[in-house]
Amino acid sequence: MITFLISLVVLVVGFALYSRLIERVFRVDDRQTPAVAHPDGVDYTPMKTWRLFLIQLLNIAGLGPIFGALAGACWGPRVYLWIVFGTILGGGVHDFLSGMMSERHDGASISEIVGIYLGKFMLQVMRVFSVVLLILVGVNFSKNPAQLLAILTPETLDANFWLAVVLIYYFIATFLPIDKVIGKLYPIFGACLIIMALGLMGVMLIDPSYRAAMPEMWQYIGVEGMGHPTNTPIWAQMFVTVACGAISGFHATQSPMVARCMTSEKEGRKVFYGAMVAEGAIALVWAAAGVTFYGNVAALNEALAGGQSVVVENICSSMMGPVGGVLALLGVIACPITSGDTAFRSARLTIADWFKIDQGNWKNRLLLSVPVLGIGALITQWGDFATLWKYFSWSNQTLAMMVLWAGAVYLHRNGFPPVACFMAALPATFMSAVSVTYFVQAPECLNMSTTLAYPLGILVAALFLGIFIWREWVMRKNDVLNPATV
């Protein structure tokens, strides 16, 4: 319990201090936002701060802080460290920068922003990468809500029925103006999500049996089996597995959607950084619930082999009783649905920005919404969640790496102090090492030994940092590079 409480306090204090620091170095001002400059009633729609926060939180939360945190808990309470410091130093910075860069570029999609600062080649890579990732997210966040809904309803309403219902809803949310469906439903889903997290945390802290069962980090030091029960290496597998619970490139695809609805730059810290910290807190609760409920990492890993949905249902119903279990399960259902709908919507917006297609016209929105949802529906019939999640997780963290590097370049080229630039460059370097190491060692990728993967990941990360310093400080100082054309 002590380890969990300390982690929670550090997360809250980190938000209070570090988010204000990055807001200060970013030089937030009173410039006119895109929603105020040219509202279109579809995507550029002014909204209140509390509504934007809930939309952003539910956009980014999805299954990441739940399924990802549970899978990460198979390495024991050490996952708390990555959730806390990954959120404060990486995820919060990533989400704030992606949202504010979009706001200062008229609500542009993240692929367009990366293209501006990392070049035309990266622009094309990011366009394709973003659309593929968003559709994968939509697919991942379609099948599991359907399975969870099937658990709560009569047998005649099976998972295929609910999958069709979820996809129909996704089409409606993708096609209609943002304030017609998403803006109205998200506060309700947000209540379910908050009740679920607070309920689980309350039970663990109040119930003597669960409180006594909560493992401490120091209890695992020097104990056999403190690692993953299948001997999966913690570096870099855990950092990719947790995904959205600490840092996520998917968030950067969602931030422009909210950036188009802000009425003041001063909302950025609460909306973007704040939503990431809230997601980190949710991940912390679920990681603690996993290791507490099952007692040890081996039992948790064995339970996850039977399906993440089953694990979530068991934890909720056992720890919170029938009524609390249903409320918690609804919160878990709301998480993926409220990321899946905006994933497909962001895919539409990314393609629209790519080909300069006006989305104020309903026919143009229909032209993009139908094929995007159609492709997603076809993919739902292929593969299992575990396989799709692995590919999503790696591409997700690789996207985060690209966005952080773009953020570091943005800060330098716009005259921000070096401390601001390295607030993005250092987590970008770390995520570069994570992404490369995972790709080299993961069974679904190159499947090479850690002896090769570890030094190669560090070498590539150091190379990226060196290229950044050389291009941004040495080359530009000597006027070799033209900021207008690079």
Side-chain angles (χ1 to χ4, degrees):
M1 183 181 72
I2 296 174
T3 304
F4 172 77
L5 289 177
I6 291 175
S7 299
L8 190 61
V9 169
V10 173
L11 188 62
V12 173
V13 173
F15 166 69
L17 299 179
Y18 206 68
S19 67
R20 290 191 180 278
L21 175 61
I22 193 169
E23 181 186 50
R24 185 175 296 114
V25 300
F26 192 82
R27 302 169 187 164
V28 168
D29 56 37
D30 296 323
R31 71 184 66 195
Q32 198 174 47
T33 64
V36 175
H38 51 80
D40 65 358
V42 179
D43 297 310
Y44 293 84
T45 304
M47 293 188 191
K48 294 182 179 179
T49 306
W50 69 269
R51 193 179 296 272
L52 292 176
F53 171 83
L54 283 176
I55 291 175
Q56 178 70 1
L57 172 60
L58 295 172
N59 282 354
I60 66 178
L63 293 173
I66 300 171
F67 285 4
L70 285 171
C74 286
W75 281 277
R78 291 180 296 174
V79 72
Y80 297 169
L81 294 174
W82 171 232
I83 291 173
V84 171
F85 292 104
T87 295
I88 296 170
L89 302 176
V93 174
H94 170 277
D95 289 14
F96 179 83
L97 285 177
S98 60
M100 296 305 291
M101 286 191 298
S102 175
E103 185 270 333
R104 290 190 174 182
H105 284 84
D106 199 36
S109 298
I110 194 63
S111 55
E112 307 303 308
I113 294 171
V114 170
I116 293 172
Y117 294 101
L118 297 187
K120 293 182 178 179
F121 173 76
M122 287 305 302
L123 170 63
Q124 301 304 325
V125 170
M126 278 293 295
R127 282 170 170 171
V128 175
F129 204 84
S130 296
V131 172
V132 171
L133 175 65
L134 286 166
I135 292 177
L136 277 178
V137 170
V139 171
N140 272 317
F141 295 166
S142 300
K143 298 182 72 172
N144 277 275
Q147 293 171 355
L148 291 170
L149 284 166
I151 294 174
L152 293 175
T153 54
E155 292 183 7
T156 53
L157 304 179
D158 61 10
N160 287 329
F161 168 82
W162 284 114
L163 178 60
V165 171
V166 169
L167 289 173
I168 291 171
Y169 163 73
Y170 283 175
F171 172 77
I172 294 171
T174 299
F175 176 73
L176 291 180
I178 191 169
D179 60 336
K180 301 303 181 186
V181 177
I182 293 173
K184 287 183 169 59
L185 290 180
Y186 274 37
I188 300 172
F189 289 151
C192 294
L193 178 61
I194 293 169
I195 290 172
M196 174 268 296
L198 292 177
L200 287 176
M201 184 172 67
V203 170
M204 286 189 292
L205 297 180
I206 295 173
D207 189 303
S209 60
Y210 286 121
R211 191 168 64 238
M214 292 182 73
E216 307 292 357
M217 223 175 294
W218 58 78
Q219 294 174 334
Y220 279 69
I221 297 177
V223 177
E224 185 178 356
M226 70 171 290
H228 197 283
T230 63
N231 294 320
T232 304
I234 192 170
W235 175 265
Q237 300 279 346
M238 186 187 74
F239 298 87
V240 171
T241 300
V242 174
C244 304
I247 182 172
S248 166
F250 168 67
H251 298 183
T253 67
Q254 303 301 289
S255 296
M257 190 185 312
V258 173
R260 300 182 187 204
C261 301
M262 291 170 54
T263 57
S264 170
E265 278 202 346
K266 296 178 181 179
E267 297 172 330
R269 184 180 72 89
K270 296 177 182 177
V271 171
F272 299 121
Y273 204 115
M276 179 63 243
V277 171
E279 182 176 16
I282 293 169
L284 199 60
V285 169
W286 274 100
V291 294
T292 299
F293 181 77
Y294 287 97
N296 59 73
V297 294
L300 173 59
N301 187 70
E302 183 179 351
L304 288 172
Q308 288 92 338
S309 299
V310 175
V311 170
V312 170
E313 197 275 335
N314 287 340
I315 290 175
C316 291
S317 59
S318 299
M319 294 183 71
M320 300 179 65
V323 176
V326 171
L327 287 174
L329 202 55
L330 286 174
V332 176
I333 292 170
C335 282
I337 288 179
T338 52
S339 285
D341 57 3
T342 49
F344 284 117
R345 187 182 184 92
S346 294
R348 170 177 68 80
L349 294 174
T350 300
I351 296 171
D353 285 354
W354 184 350
F355 295 102
K356 306 294 186 290
I357 302 173
D358 177 26
Q359 294 299 282
N361 186 311
W362 70 269
K363 293 181 180 179
N364 289 341
R365 295 203 305 278
L366 189 65
L367 180 67
L368 296 182
S369 299
V370 170
V372 165
L373 266 297
I375 293 171
L378 289 175
I379 297 176
T380 60
Q381 303 306 306
W382 171 84
D384 61 285
F385 175 84
T387 301
L388 288 173
W389 183 262
K390 290 177 180 178
Y391 286 113
F392 157 72
S393 296
W394 175 79
S395 58
N396 187 39
Q397 304 303 61
T398 301
L399 180 59
M401 171 196 76
M402 297 178 190
V403 172
L404 283 168
W405 281 123
V409 174
Y410 167 87
L411 291 170
H412 181 260
R413 294 188 189 177
N414 284 277
F416 290 89
V419 63
C421 302
F422 281 97
M423 288 176 77
L426 293 182
T429 304
F430 183 84
M431 292 311 299
S432 298
V434 167
S435 182
V436 173
T437 301
Y438 183 90
F439 184 78
V440 174
Q441 73 178 177
E444 66 273 15
C445 297
L446 297 184
N447 196 25
M448 295 184 178
S449 69
T450 56
T451 305
L452 176 64
Y454 290 175
L456 187 58
I458 294 172
L459 179 64
V460 173
L463 177 63
F464 286 175
L465 179 61
I467 292 173
F468 167 70
I469 294 173
W470 174 262
R471 285 176 61 87
E472 296 305 312
W473 266 273
V474 179
M475 301 287 278
R476 289 190 180 281
K477 183 177 181 180
N478 296 327
D479 293 325
V480 175
L481 296 177
N482 182 354
T485 60
V486 175

